[in-house]
Amino acid sequence: MSSNRLSSDRDVISELTTGRLSVYLRCLTYLESIGKETVSSAEMADRFHLNSAQIRKDLACFGEFGTRGVGYNVSRLKEHLVRELGIDRRRNVIIIGAGNLGMALADYRGFNDSGFRIAALIDVDPAKIGRASRTGIPVLPYSELKRIVREQNVEIAVIAVTAGAAQDVYDALVEAGLNAILNFAPVQLRTHAQVKLKSVDLRINLESLSFYLKGVEDGTT
Amino acid sequence: MSSNRLSSDRDVISELTTGRLSVYLRCLTYLESIGKETVSSAEMADRFHLNSAQIRKDLACFGEFGTRGVGYNVSRLKEHLVRELGIDRRRNVIIIGAGNLGMALADYRGFNDSGFRIAALIDVDPAKIGRASRTGIPVLPYSELKRIVREQNVEIAVIAVTAGAAQDVYDALVEAGLNAILNFAPVQLRTHAQVKLKSVDLRINLESLSFYLKGVEDGTT
DNA sequence: GCATGTGAATGGATTCACAGCT
DNA sequence: AGCTGTGAATCCATTCACATGC
């Protein structure tokens, strides 16, 4: 079993696992910033409240990175996760819909941070085109979508339009050659295989909280 | 087996199930709007692509609502889900952090829609206090948090502050008596039992897409 | 005949527990 | 002695398949 297995021979890694990898990365970045050189799975498990075996399993997907009896080297593991997550180079992102949400996302730290760059906002509204977000992300015309994607080497799109427009936008994005899309519109999109879609449904999150409160009221906890 | 079992004797219902209930509700609202009176689980399963048995199981959590050989009565089932999700009455929400994201969320349709009402934005910045979002949600001082929660009968809080401030805000919200919190800050909060927390981590979603793209590049699909 | 409601079977993900390395 | 890496065991969710009732 060669250590430092390359990512290309990884077996399918679940969505849940990759989400946790991001969490680990954030933790490691913090640990590195405070000068910690080594960390054990048990220690990380404490920090979030996770199970240490799960952390070891997650990390072991990519080869053996720890040292028995010692733990993991913080910097080395961090660098490795950065590479595995594919954010060791900058990826260009566009946001479709320059409304409230689109504008807010465009200026959001963490969207314009290591690994990602918002290249443009895109809208159909002539009144918005030519303007820019607070931090200076330009609003470009939807009609130019294909050209923008090509010329700016865009890899990821964020859908921040109304529910009614989302399916058309999704189809156009696929047509424009994008393979990764993050959707904020509250609709069930008819998806295209091969194109990775993640959806964030704000409304559902609120309803889930409401459901919880209802349970408390009814005494079901 | 009494039909129309009351929600109070439901067994624990998973997060995954309740998320789907929201989706079904949205679908039923649509079907009602186009005048459909009856729908089968198979029909709904088609619409999203889900398994019909799963839909039946999800719905059966709350008692028997369908008619064998016929399907579900759209209006009746919808009304029932609304009640089960606890949005048959208005719940007041506050948003902590009147930055880009907080402002966008305050004006977001679906946050100010059947079942929810944004009562206020809350911030520490004196320059923001007293102003309002585009749709008129007022920005109130963080120092008044407790009073606002009490007087406005607030049940849900949304954390839209920086990662650094989020833990303090979380603790203050719990202290103020809130039981349901939606967090947008990219941190692992040290949580308090009994308080329901949902987190939306925008950064993790982007990283997950990046990971997918990385896989495509490496030919792992 | 047709669609629900549900026990039984399957499939995944998490956790346990320990062998193996430092 | 300590901590990783991992098969085995457990837990939870989804799917199958069919008895039940309209």
Side-chain angles (χ1 to χ4, degrees):
Chain A
M1 182 159 315
S2 74
S3 83
N4 283 22
R5 197 186 307 161
L6 280 178
S7 61
S8 31
D9 55 303
R10 60 183 146 179
D11 326 85
V12 191
I13 287 160
S14 88
E15 203 72 2
L16 292 163
T17 303
T18 71
R20 285 193 301 267
L21 292 181
S22 290
V23 173
Y24 303 152
L25 173 56
R26 191 176 285 157
C27 176
L28 291 164
T29 302
Y30 168 73
L31 291 175
E32 196 182 42
S33 79
I34 62 169
K36 213 157 184 321
E37 287 183 4
T38 281
V39 69
S40 72
S41 61
E43 211 176 329
M44 291 182 81
D46 265 5
R47 218 166 264 275
F48 335 103
H49 17 125
L50 274 178
N51 178 293
S52 69
Q54 179 162 65
I55 295 180
R56 291 198 298 279
K57 268 228 162 105
D58 286 346
L59 296 178
C61 287
F62 306 113
E64 315 200 345
F65 271 87
T67 311
R68 289 162 200 235
V70 180
Y72 299 89
N73 176 299
V74 172
S75 301
R76 205 164 79 86
L77 183 56
K78 183 195 144 197
E79 280 317 306
H80 191 69
L81 286 181
V82 165
R83 236 174 306 123
E84 282 302 339
L85 288 170
I87 50 180
D88 50 343
R89 63 183 189 75
R90 196 116 52 89
R91 293 190 186 268
N92 292 306
V93 179
I94 49 173
I95 296 173
I96 318 298
N100 285 324
L101 185 62
M103 285 285 189
L105 293 174
D107 292 340
Y108 184 63
R109 282 161 219 280
F111 263 36
N112 282 286
D113 198 24
S114 48
F116 301 101
R117 172 183 153 258
I118 308 290
L121 281 150
I122 295 188
D123 207 294
V124 282
D125 183 354
K128 288 177 183 160
I129 293 163
R131 308 197 64 198
S133 77
R134 246 171 277 190
T135 63
I137 314 286
V139 181
L140 304 180
Y142 185 66
S143 56
E144 300 283 303
L145 179 64
K146 262 185 169 154
R147 195 177 54 73
I148 297 163
V149 168
R150 193 174 359 99
E151 290 183 1
Q152 306 236 16
N153 191 27
V154 174
E155 296 184 278
I156 298 175
V158 177
I159 298 180
V161 301
T162 57
Q167 184 68 58
D168 284 351
V169 167
Y170 174 86
D171 295 340
L173 290 168
V174 173
E175 170 73 18
L178 284 162
N179 286 313
I181 296 175
L182 178 55
N183 171 46
F184 284 87
V187 267
Q188 202 70 17
L189 292 172
R190 185 144 283 285
T191 67
H192 204 278
Q194 316 242 270
V195 178
K196 178 74 170 182
L197 175 70
K198 297 228 67 172
S199 280
V200 175
D201 194 316
L202 302 173
R203 172 85 192 184
I204 286 179
N205 280 285
L206 272 199
E207 290 185 353
S208 162
L209 290 174
S210 171
F211 178 78
Y212 172 78
L213 291 172
K214 173 81 176 356
V216 174
E217 286 158 15
D218 295 356
T220 328
T221 301
Chain B
M1 182 158 319
S2 73
S3 84
N4 282 22
R5 197 186 309 163
L6 280 178
S7 60
S8 32
D9 56 303
R10 60 183 144 179
D11 325 85
V12 191
I13 287 160
S14 87
E15 203 72 0
L16 292 162
T17 304
T18 71
R20 285 192 302 267
L21 292 180
S22 289
V23 173
Y24 303 153
L25 173 56
R26 190 175 285 158
C27 176
L28 290 164
T29 302
Y30 169 73
L31 291 176
E32 195 182 42
S33 80
I34 63 169
K36 213 156 187 318
E37 287 181 6
T38 281
V39 67
S40 72
S41 60
E43 210 176 329
M44 291 182 80
D46 265 7
R47 217 167 266 274
F48 334 104
H49 15 124
L50 274 178
N51 179 292
S52 70
Q54 180 162 66
I55 295 179
R56 291 198 298 279
K57 268 230 161 107
D58 286 344
L59 296 178
C61 287
F62 305 113
E64 316 202 342
F65 272 85
T67 310
R68 289 163 200 236
V70 179
Y72 299 90
N73 176 299
V74 172
S75 302
R76 206 164 77 86
L77 183 55
K78 183 196 143 196
E79 281 316 307
H80 191 69
L81 286 180
V82 165
R83 236 173 306 121
E84 282 301 340
L85 288 170
I87 49 181
D88 48 345
R89 63 183 188 75
R90 196 117 51 90
R91 294 189 186 268
N92 292 307
V93 180
I94 50 172
I95 298 174
I96 318 297
N100 284 323
L101 185 62
M103 285 286 189
L105 293 174
D107 292 341
Y108 184 63
R109 282 163 220 277
F111 264 35
N112 283 286
D113 198 23
S114 49
F116 301 100
R117 172 183 152 258
I118 308 289
L121 281 149
I122 294 189
D123 208 295
V124 282
D125 184 354
K128 287 176 183 160
I129 294 164
R131 309 197 63 199
S133 77
R134 246 171 277 191
T135 62
I137 313 287
V139 182
L140 304 180
Y142 185 65
S143 55
E144 300 284 302
L145 178 64
K146 263 185 171 155
R147 194 177 55 73
I148 298 162
V149 169
R150 192 173 0 100
E151 290 182 3
Q152 306 237 13
N153 190 27
V154 174
E155 296 185 278
I156 298 176
V158 177
I159 298 180
V161 301
T162 58
Q167 184 69 58
D168 284 350
V169 168
Y170 173 85
D171 295 338
L173 290 168
V174 173
E175 170 73 17
L178 284 161
N179 287 312
I181 297 175
L182 178 55
N183 172 47
F184 283 89
V187 267
Q188 202 69 17
L189 292 173
R190 185 145 283 282
T191 66
H192 203 278
Q194 317 242 267
V195 178
K196 179 75 170 180
L197 175 70
K198 296 227 68 169
S199 280
V200 174
D201 194 317
L202 302 172
R203 172 84 191 186
I204 287 179
N205 281 285
L206 272 198
E207 289 185 354
S208 163
L209 290 174
S210 172
F211 178 80
Y212 172 79
L213 291 172
K214 173 82 175 355
V216 174
E217 287 159 15
D218 295 356
T220 328
T221 302

